[in-house]
């Protein structure tokens, strides 16, 4: 019991939704509560890569109705963590 | 020695590359090459790391002009760099930043072209009114392209100028002459290429660089990543054509992964006339969707690093591939098909499993077991296993590629790799070892030699690998092991 509460993180509703989208899209076998909202998504942390980024972009567009762009210099920041990605979705979503 | 020109544009005013919002003409490009030729440090080999096609092209033309050889490794990890430095002397890296803790000499084109010195050169010297670029000897070695090899050392394949020209002329004949002919008035059409693939790989080099230079096409300097980036680049090309009172006809040089991304996100692709896809076979349904939605034909190229482009097809018309005119296929025995060509490699055995229909046609059946293809990038299981097994804390280990064949969806996610590891210590797995720590260490060990997309998505700790009496690892046994681990994960 102790261990599972140590590994579980509290998320906002949109963070929960975004975490679930990441897990479903990339077929990860973890629970959404296991993703630390401030952990890195790429490199260390979840260790995602460029193909994952493209798969995620497709899923985000389909679910939230907006397109991602990479000339945006904030892009690195957007994909930094679950928290920053969820914030970007909150700012841009149309459905 | 016979020679042929490096490019074929109608005049020095012809636009060659679209860079930072404007078209750079052939005259301006060569003027810049002249300047850089005076500044570039002495070298024999170039490692041109520029993703941006304007800088890439400058580096490539400098190499052609000065008869140095461009090295194109399949990936640039610290391990690969060290190997290249050992084998190729006077190596100069063209890049805006030094890769890792690299000590080789670096020539930063971007910084040089933003210098005061270049500005005053531009002000003082006029762009020449005559073409001043040497013709290139057909036998000149212009590039060495590497596969990842199977023993941990990159395997080199020499590309002479003629090799690239042969592939380019056959690609032109089969893929581009059609759109050239259908254009109403040729002079009123701006033919352009946009590529989502790197210029440093054989497909990108032939289809997006050499084809552009040899046909006088305009290339966009960006390598778009997200679907919306592709839209943005196409809009820029369309606007440019409009300002020149021309129609635009763009071919997108891409992969199945990016085509899938365009369809799924329903982006607009203005001015698109043709999609060219390579690196992995495209599903007919996906090609059909692209043709219908964008009213542009979808053509595929089949090729490999060793030979270059070899065959083509229009995906919606035929399952079979037709070889380019210089390629002849011959069955050696039941399993081996030999490729014969007048390119400098002359002969090569097919990496893939194919069904030979006749000398000019074949059907692709699958990959040989050792080859790994993820999102169009290739490596071999032997190479991956070699580097995984070299990690000292492991008693045994191997990579395994999961196959998501159960997906009925037209665009399933890429099949990624996992690894099974057996630790050296005999201690029980549950006792006092920090699995996360081990996984982190293994990953950072692998990053020295393996490109990130080939890193294992999951690392499973097992007590032994299901080796058969000869020490081999049958796929069927690994599949069973995978199934067991997944069941365990659920329980």
């Amino acid at each position: 019991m102790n261990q599972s509460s140590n590994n579980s993180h509290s998320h906002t509703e949109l963070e929960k939704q975004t975490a679930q989208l990441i897990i479903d899209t990339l077929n990860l076998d973890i629970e959404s509560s296991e993703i630390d909202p401030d952990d890195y998504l790429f490199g260390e942390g979840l260790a995602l890569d460029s193909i994952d980024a493209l798969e995620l972009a497709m899923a985000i567009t389909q679910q939230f109705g907006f397109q991602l762009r990479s000339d945006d210099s904030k892009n690195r920041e957007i994909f930094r963590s679950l928290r920053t990605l969820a914030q970007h979705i909150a700012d841009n979503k149309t459905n | 020695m016979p020679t042929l020109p490096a490019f074929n544009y109608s005049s020095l005013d012809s636009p060659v590359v679209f860079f930072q919002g404007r078209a750079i003409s052939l005259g301006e490009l060569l003027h810049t090459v002249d300047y850089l030729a005076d500044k570039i440090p002495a070298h024999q080999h170039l490692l041109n790391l520029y993703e941006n096609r304007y800088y890439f092209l400058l580096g490539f033309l400098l190499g052609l002009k000065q008869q140095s050889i461009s090295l194109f490794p399949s990936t640039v990890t610290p391990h690969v760099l060290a190997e290249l430095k050992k084998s190729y002397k006077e190596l100069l890296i063209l890049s805006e930043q030094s890769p890792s803790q690299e000590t080789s000499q670096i020539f930063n084109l971007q910084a040089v072209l933003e210098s005061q010195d270049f500005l005053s050169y531009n002000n003082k010297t006029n762009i020449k009114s005559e073409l001043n670029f040497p013709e290139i000897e057909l036998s000149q070695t212009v590039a060495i392209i590497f596969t990842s090899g199977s023993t941990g050392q990159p395997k080199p394949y020499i590309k002479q100028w003629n090799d690239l020209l042969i592939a380019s002329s056959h690609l032109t004949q089969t893929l581009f002459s059609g759109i050239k002919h259908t254009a109403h008035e040729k002079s009123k059409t701006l033919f352009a290429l946009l590529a989502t693939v790197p210029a440093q790989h054989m497909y990108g080099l032939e289809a997006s660089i050499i084809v552009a230079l040899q046909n006088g096409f305009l290339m966009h300097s960006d390598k778009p990543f997200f679907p919306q980036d592709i839209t943005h680049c196409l809009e820029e090309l369309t606007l440019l054509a409009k300002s020149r009172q021309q129609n635009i006809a763009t071919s997108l040089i891409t992969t199945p992964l990016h085509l899938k991304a365009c369809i799924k996100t329903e982006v607009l692709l203005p001015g698109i006339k043709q999609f060219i896809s390579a690196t992995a076979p495209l599903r007919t349904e996906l090609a059909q969707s692209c043709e219908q939605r964008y009213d542009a034909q979808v053509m595929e190229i089949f090729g490999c690093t060793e030979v270059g482009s070899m065959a083509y097809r229009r995906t919606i018309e035929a399952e079979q591939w037709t070889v380019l005119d210089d390629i002849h296929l011959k069955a050696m025995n039941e399993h081996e098909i030999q490729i014969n060509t007048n390119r400098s490699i002359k002969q090569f055995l097919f990496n893939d499993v194919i069904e030979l229909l006749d000398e000019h046609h074949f059907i692709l059946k699958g990959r040989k077991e050792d080859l790994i293809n993820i999102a169009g990038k290739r490596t071999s299981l032997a190479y991956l296993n070699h580097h995984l097994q070299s990690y000292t804390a492991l008693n045994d280990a191997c990579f395994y590629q999961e196959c998501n064949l159960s997906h009925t969806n037209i665009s399933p996610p890429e099949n990624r790799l996992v690894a099974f590891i057996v630790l050296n210590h005999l201690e029980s797995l549950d006792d006092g070892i920090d699995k996360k720590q081990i996984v982190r260490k293994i990953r950072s060990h692998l990053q020295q030699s393996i490109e990130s997309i080939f890193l294992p998505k999951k690392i499973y700790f097992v007590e032994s690998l299901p080796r058969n009496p000869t020490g081999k690892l049958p796929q069927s046994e690994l599949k069973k092991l995978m199934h067991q681990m997944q069941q365990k994960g659920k329980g």
Side-chain angles (χ1 to χ4, degrees):
Chain A
M1 285 303 280
N2 263 341
Q3 205 180 354
S4 78
S5 64
N6 279 345
N7 286 337
S8 139
H9 300 276
S10 63
H11 294 146
T12 66
E13 194 49 42
L14 195 56
E15 281 168 7
K16 234 182 263 172
Q17 249 181 303
T18 308
Q20 199 55 49
L21 179 95
I22 294 174
I23 289 166
D24 293 345
T25 306
L26 306 177
N27 199 15
L28 305 177
D29 57 2
I30 52 173
E31 295 293 323
S32 63
S33 60
E34 287 175 55
I35 302 182
D36 180 339
D38 292 312
D39 215 353
Y40 289 113
L41 293 177
F42 290 80
E44 286 199 13
L46 280 188
L48 306 188
D49 58 38
S50 62
I51 300 171
D52 297 326
L54 199 53
E55 297 278 3
L56 273 182
M58 293 180 224
I60 289 170
T61 301
Q62 287 183 313
Q63 187 162 339
F64 298 105
F66 73 96
Q67 300 277 356
L68 287 139
R69 280 281 302 273
S70 64
D71 64 338
D72 200 330
S73 53
K74 287 180 302 185
N75 218 47
R76 196 175 282 266
E77 188 54 29
I78 292 165
F79 275 94
R80 203 184 71 84
S81 66
L82 178 60
R83 195 185 300 281
T84 57
L85 185 58
Q87 187 56 49
H88 184 68
I89 291 173
D91 294 344
N92 290 280
K93 71 197 199 91
T94 62
N95 43 353
Chain B
M1 282 303 234
T3 61
L4 277 174
F7 31 71
N8 183 17
Y9 288 87
S10 61
S11 84
L12 284 167
D13 294 328
S14 303
V16 177
V17 52
F18 186 86
F19 175 65
Q20 293 184 344
R22 70 186 188 93
I24 292 176
S25 69
L26 181 63
E28 186 182 346
L29 186 74
L30 296 183
H31 188 63
T32 307
V33 169
D34 277 349
Y35 173 80
L36 290 170
D38 275 344
K39 302 284 169 191
I40 193 168
H43 64 278
Q44 290 184 29
H45 297 98
L46 287 174
L47 184 60
N48 187 342
L49 298 181
Y50 281 104
E51 179 179 292
N52 181 292
R53 280 176 158 73
Y54 170 57
Y55 294 119
F56 175 87
L57 186 60
L58 287 171
F60 186 70
L61 292 177
L62 277 166
L64 283 184
K65 185 171 179 159
Q66 304 196 328
Q67 299 184 17
S68 50
I69 299 171
S70 295
L71 304 183
F72 297 124
S74 61
T75 166
V76 183
T77 59
H79 168 79
V80 167
L81 257 178
E83 292 290 331
L84 291 181
K85 273 170 71 180
K86 245 188 272 170
S87 313
Y88 299 94
K89 47 184 182 175
E90 294 187 51
L91 180 63
L92 180 68
I93 299 177
L94 301 182
S95 171
E96 64 259 58
Q97 59 193 22
S98 93
S100 65
Q101 299 97 34
E102 188 40 48
T103 52
S104 303
Q105 205 171 8
I106 290 171
F107 189 52
N108 182 341
L109 297 177
Q110 198 177 343
V112 174
L113 297 182
E114 281 166 6
S115 70
Q116 201 54 46
D117 189 57
F118 179 63
L119 284 178
S120 59
Y121 162 83
N122 259 345
N123 291 336
K124 271 188 297 200
T125 38
N126 290 327
I127 293 178
K128 293 195 178 68
S129 54
E130 274 171 32
L131 187 71
N132 63 323
F133 198 88
E135 290 206 348
I136 311 302
E137 270 184 26
L138 294 183
S139 61
Q140 182 178 325
T141 297
V142 296
I144 300 178
I145 304 207
F146 299 81
T147 61
S148 59
S150 56
T151 58
Q153 276 190 349
K155 204 169 171 201
Y157 291 89
I158 284 176
K159 304 295 172 185
Q160 297 177 349
W161 182 232
N162 199 34
D163 297 335
L164 300 180
L165 292 187
I166 292 172
S168 159
S169 82
H170 292 304
L171 289 179
T172 299
Q173 209 181 316
T174 49
L175 304 185
F176 294 95
S177 60
I179 53 167
K180 273 189 180 170
H181 282 306
T182 53
H184 295 306
E185 281 175 89
K186 244 166 123 183
S187 63
K188 287 208 170 156
T189 303
L190 182 60
F191 295 99
L193 300 183
L194 173 66
T196 63
V197 295
Q200 286 86 349
H201 291 183
M202 206 51 190
Y203 166 47
L205 182 64
E206 286 181 344
S208 76
I209 302 289
I210 309 297
V211 162
L213 295 177
Q214 291 297 313
N215 283 285
F217 293 160
L218 170 69
M219 64 181 95
H220 198 298
S221 64
D222 287 0
K223 180 164 94 65
F225 179 71
F226 292 121
Q228 191 66 27
D229 301 337
I230 299 176
T231 306
H232 177 71
C233 292
L234 290 171
E235 280 167 354
E236 288 183 314
L237 293 171
T238 305
L239 274 177
L240 174 75
K242 218 171 171 187
S243 73
R244 299 166 57 93
Q245 274 124 38
Q246 286 179 304
N247 300 312
I248 186 77
T250 305
S251 296
L252 184 67
I253 313 295
T254 190
T255 64
L257 183 64
H258 269 102
L259 289 177
K260 176 175 87 173
C262 289
I263 288 292
K264 273 192 148 183
T265 57
E266 303 181 1
V267 288
L268 297 175
L269 302 178
I272 194 89
K273 275 288 168 306
Q274 167 166 259
F275 296 96
I276 293 178
S277 174
T279 69
L282 189 60
R283 285 161 183 259
T284 315
E285 297 86 341
L286 183 54
Q288 191 100 51
S289 306
C290 288
E291 293 227 2
Q292 277 167 3
R293 181 190 300 265
Y294 297 111
D295 190 24
Q297 64 174 8
V298 179
M299 302 296 292
E300 279 183 90
I301 299 176
F302 178 90
C304 61
T305 301
E306 297 87 341
V307 181
S309 302
M310 292 194 281
Y312 70 98
R313 66 174 179 178
R314 183 170 179 188
T315 322
I316 62 164
E317 281 174 355
E319 187 190 4
Q320 68 180 47
W321 296 82
T322 304
V323 296
L324 299 179
D325 269 355
D326 71 307
I327 302 278
H328 300 273
L329 304 177
K330 189 175 152 200
M332 305 302 283
N333 55 47
E334 207 188 322
H335 302 292
E336 294 193 306
I337 311 289
Q338 190 180 61
I339 299 152
N340 294 284
T341 164
N342 58 0
R343 302 177 204 180
S344 55
I345 192 166
K346 300 292 180 215
Q347 287 173 343
F348 188 70
L349 286 180
F350 247 97
N351 278 326
D352 303 81
V353 180
I354 65 164
E355 180 189 331
L356 197 58
L357 300 177
D358 60 46
E359 207 189 345
H360 306 289
H361 300 91
F362 64 90
I363 289 175
L364 196 57
K365 291 289 186 189
R367 60 180 169 83
K368 285 191 179 161
E369 225 167 55
D370 186 56
L371 273 187
I372 296 290
N373 185 332
I374 294 179
K377 293 201 170 182
R378 282 170 179 237
T379 188
S380 72
L381 263 183
Y383 176 85
L384 298 176
N385 286 338
H386 171 88
H387 287 287
L388 179 61
Q389 287 160 1
S390 72
Y391 187 65
T392 48
L394 299 180
N395 187 16
D396 198 0
C398 73
F399 275 86
Y400 175 69
Q401 190 170 30
E402 284 180 277
C403 286
N404 296 325
L405 292 176
S406 59
H407 279 275
T408 46
N409 148 357
I410 69 159
S411 48
E414 295 293 318
N415 287 327
R416 306 303 290 268
L417 293 161
V418 300
F420 297 113
I421 60 167
V422 183
L423 293 175
N424 253 335
H425 309 290
L426 294 171
E427 59 205 284
S428 152
L429 283 179
D430 302 322
D431 280 349
I433 55 160
D434 185 347
K435 283 193 187 178
K436 274 194 170 170
Q437 173 86 355
I438 294 174
V439 166
R440 240 192 328 266
K441 282 186 178 165
I442 292 176
R443 291 183 66 91
S444 80
H445 167 76
L446 292 176
Q447 272 164 355
Q448 297 297 308
S449 42
I450 294 176
E451 196 171 356
S452 62
I453 61 163
F454 297 121
L455 292 177
K457 281 286 160 190
K458 291 169 199 159
I459 294 181
Y460 295 104
F461 290 70
V462 296
E463 297 198 354
S464 65
L465 293 182
R467 292 194 180 274
N468 69 13
T470 60
K472 290 198 171 130
L473 284 164
Q475 283 295 304
S476 55
E477 291 301 314
L478 288 175
K479 196 173 167 186
K480 272 188 216 159
L481 182 61
M482 183 72 219
H483 188 67
Q484 278 170 21
M485 297 314 287
Q486 282 169 336
Q487 290 305 316
K488 214 169 140 188
K490 280 180 194 158

